[in-house]
Amino acid sequence: MILKNRNLISIADFSKDEYHHILKLAEGFENQPVSDIAKGKVVATLFFEPSTRTRLSFESAAARMGAALIGFSDASNSSTAKGESLADTIRTVSCYADIIVMRHPLEGAARLASDVATVPIINAGDGANQHPTQCMLDLYSILKTQGTLDNLNIALVGDLKYGRTVHSLVEAMCNYNTTFHLVSPLSLKLPSVVKMHIKEHQLVYHQYTDLLEAIEKADILYMTRVQRERFLDIQDYEKVKNAYILEKSMLKNSKPNLKVLHPLPRVNEISTDVDNTPQAYYFQQAQNGVYVRQALIAAILGLK
Amino acid sequence: MMKKELVVSAIKNGTVIDHIPADKLFQVAKTLNLMNESSQVLLANNLDSQKIGKKGIIKCQDIYLQQSEINKIALVAPSATLISIRDYSVVEKINVGIPDYIEGTVKCFNPKCITNNENVLPKYNVIDKADLKLQCCYCQKITKKDTLTFL
């Protein structure tokens, strides 16, 4: 398995075997999170768009392995504010770091960065396009809670149109004979290009507007936030922002193995009374993000 | 044998674009910006064609097309044939067709695509030739016939 010096821009950049390799490495980091295997390495985190979880979990992952960190958490603190092109920023940071983790509001930014960088790029989210490391930690969370990735019923709820984590997760789970249950307002349905991907794998998806109907069938209930920053028109956002809110009472007819996942941050789409139920898994899911990101940094840097 | 009469005069040097579907003739002319050419340009439309029914033809005196212009013709009128003429003789004849991969030529329809915001040439994989669908290699969004804009 050679992942050394590879870019991770889209979940499709890695094969199914490579997912499994990362998940196995992540399990090792969960058992022993602190080491100095990355001592002497420099990890750059370039966040052109705000983020809490993704940036901090990458920085935590790097720090737990002894790597040094450089970067910025806001484009206004970088030369981008002076009008520097993305390509030039990436070429320059390539001279300072062994690996670049980047988030950018424009779609395709990470792919462009990988065209010009001389070190590997990990995409930590590019607009509404891809968020492959979130997908890897979602896979890890599904595997840990269900004991398998195969033959599961996954309900995806909320913003299926702009939610990049949803697109990546669907793409990855198409490798595991998944049945998809898609719950969204009509204006936020899963894009046809993603549905086409499901069809190409000869898998089944069902579309609902009623959340309860999907909960009863699901092994995994993947909730998402309707993201205001993805809407060009604020009135369109106001119409759908409260479309699906999960409450504790709605879980009473769920399967015993059901787990609720959410990429976070949540606004109001999961009521706080769900937090203490056995089904709630979203905070452990965030914790898993550190182990998976340790695994990715270690594999891509070729660390032993 | 009866000699076939030319509907449009022959050109000495230049390019003939033949087998353009009749409803695409003016779009091809516009795409190639022929209205601003100073050379002689001859257009004829609604000519009978065994290959496509009714066709248009464009003859451009002293103009030879660049690959980027050929790519544009391929996207607007994939049935077209390009004929290069030198001294009244055909020196090359190609069927344009739609390629599997396109670099430049087309603007990505997604305003949030990096190619519309940074100085970078868009690249596409052609995922459907019959119904023309181009998938952007950067943002992954699909540009279709009705959202096609040339660079």
Side-chain angles (χ1 to χ4, degrees):
Chain A
M1 194 72 56
I2 301 171
L3 291 173
K4 189 178 176 182
N5 290 330
R6 289 265 296 275
N7 298 303
L8 177 56
I9 307 302
S10 150
I11 195 67
D13 291 347
F14 281 13
S15 68
K16 189 175 166 179
D17 285 347
E18 287 165 344
Y19 300 164
H20 296 172
H21 179 66
I22 294 295
L23 300 183
K24 203 165 165 46
L25 279 180
E27 196 178 14
F29 283 111
E30 180 167 2
N31 294 330
Q32 193 189 339
V34 181
S35 68
D36 61 357
I37 57 170
K39 197 173 173 191
K41 298 288 183 186
V42 178
V43 176
T45 54
L46 310 186
F47 279 68
F48 297 86
E49 183 181 62
S51 152
T52 307
R53 252 151 302 274
T54 307
R55 182 173 61 82
L56 292 182
S57 71
F58 262 113
E59 293 182 353
S60 170
R64 282 166 191 244
M65 297 188 292
L69 281 152
I70 58 170
F72 50 82
S73 57
D74 185 335
S76 63
N77 294 334
S78 76
S79 288
T80 307
K82 298 176 192 162
E84 185 178 50
S85 71
L86 174 64
D88 281 2
T89 303
I90 296 297
R91 283 189 190 103
T92 308
V93 177
S94 290
C95 305
Y96 309 148
D98 298 295
I99 186 168
I100 295 173
V101 177
M102 65 173 280
R103 169 171 288 189
H104 199 283
L106 292 172
E107 297 163 26
R111 185 68 70 194
L112 170 63
S114 72
D115 286 350
V116 298
T118 52
V119 296
I121 299 282
I122 296 182
N123 182 8
D126 59 333
N129 187 28
Q130 284 275 334
H131 193 359
T133 67
Q134 175 70 43
C135 182
M136 292 301 302
L137 80 89
D138 292 342
L139 292 183
Y140 187 69
S141 301
I142 294 169
L143 181 62
K144 275 197 73 180
T145 58
Q146 305 297 323
T148 179
L149 291 171
D150 293 310
N151 309 315
L152 296 171
N153 280 276
I154 297 196
L156 300 154
V157 183
D159 176 4
L160 308 188
K161 183 176 179 183
Y162 299 108
R164 58 189 169 196
T165 61
V166 167
H167 304 169
S168 301
L169 185 59
V170 168
E171 203 170 332
M173 287 306 294
C174 278
N175 291 299
Y176 300 100
N177 195 34
T178 305
T179 303
F180 296 96
H181 303 272
L182 311 174
V183 188
S184 71
L186 289 175
S187 62
L188 294 177
K189 281 166 76 173
L190 195 70
S192 54
V193 63
V194 187
K195 284 187 198 154
M196 203 163 73
H197 202 78
I198 300 175
K199 284 183 197 158
E200 278 168 11
H201 284 79
Q202 281 139 22
L203 296 176
V204 178
Y205 65 84
H206 306 280
Q207 298 192 94
Y208 310 81
T209 46
D210 179 12
L211 175 55
L212 277 176
E213 209 181 327
I215 291 175
E216 290 170 15
K217 299 184 174 77
D219 301 305
I220 291 288
L221 183 61
Y222 194 93
M223 301 293 296
T224 63
R225 172 174 67 100
V226 176
Q227 303 173 85
R228 190 172 63 182
E229 62 270 30
R230 303 286 170 236
F231 285 79
L232 295 173
D233 183 345
I234 197 70
Q235 286 184 330
D236 291 342
Y237 166 72
E238 291 293 333
K239 279 183 211 158
V240 293
K241 67 176 184 182
N242 293 324
Y244 296 104
I245 297 175
L246 180 68
E247 290 170 355
K248 185 178 176 180
S249 60
M250 298 164 81
L251 296 170
K252 64 175 187 273
N253 292 326
S254 65
K255 289 187 184 178
N257 61 318
L258 175 82
K259 292 292 174 198
V260 179
L261 270 58
H262 190 303
L264 303 179
R266 75 169 153 184
V267 181
N268 62 347
E269 59 278 6
I270 302 178
S271 166
T272 51
D273 69 358
V274 178
D275 294 357
N276 293 321
T277 65
Q279 289 91 346
Y281 192 75
Y282 27 94
F283 293 114
Q284 290 98 317
Q285 183 188 0
Q287 171 76 59
N288 292 340
V290 177
Y291 311 132
V292 168
R293 286 170 177 133
Q294 280 184 280
L296 286 165
I297 292 171
I300 292 172
L301 285 177
L303 305 176
K304 303 283 182 211
Chain B
M1 197 171 79
M2 209 168 79
K3 194 174 175 189
K4 202 172 162 186
E5 190 186 343
L6 286 179
V7 180
V8 187
S9 316
I11 53 173
K12 186 178 179 190
N13 293 301
T15 304
V16 175
I17 310 166
D18 200 0
H19 300 116
I20 304 168
D23 61 344
K24 300 287 183 202
L25 177 86
F26 293 103
Q27 198 181 342
V28 170
K30 191 178 167 201
T31 300
L32 297 177
N33 202 20
L34 294 178
M35 54 286 268
N36 293 324
E37 279 295 341
S38 52
S39 310
Q40 198 176 71
V41 176
L42 308 168
L43 288 88
N45 207 14
N46 294 317
L47 309 177
D48 291 328
S49 163
Q50 285 186 339
K51 192 175 160 188
I52 58 167
K54 291 284 182 190
K55 72 170 185 179
I57 188 167
I58 300 174
K59 297 188 178 188
C60 311
Q61 180 74 40
D62 298 325
I63 296 172
Y64 295 96
L65 300 178
Q66 306 287 322
Q67 188 57 48
S68 59
E69 294 167 317
I70 296 172
N71 287 345
K72 289 180 185 176
I73 297 172
L75 295 173
V76 176
S79 62
T81 310
L82 290 187
I83 304 157
S84 295
I85 308 286
R86 287 196 197 277
D87 201 16
Y88 296 108
S89 300
V90 173
V91 290
E92 192 184 23
K93 195 170 186 174
I94 53 169
N95 297 317
V96 292
I98 298 177
D100 297 328
Y101 173 79
I102 294 168
E103 223 174 273
T105 312
V106 174
K107 185 176 152 67
C108 180
F109 91 103
N110 174 13
K112 290 190 164 184
C113 178
I114 192 77
T115 61
N116 288 318
N117 294 274
E118 292 261 341
N119 184 20
V120 51
L121 209 57
K123 298 169 189 169
Y124 304 89
N125 288 314
V126 180
I127 57 168
D128 188 338
K129 290 187 184 182
D131 198 23
L132 197 59
K133 288 180 182 163
L134 313 177
Q135 185 163 33
C136 176
C137 294
Y138 288 98
C139 74
Q140 308 293 311
K141 296 281 185 300
I142 294 172
T143 298
K144 299 175 189 170
K145 251 187 307 201
D146 53 350
T147 52
L148 198 70
T149 310
F150 292 112
L151 285 172

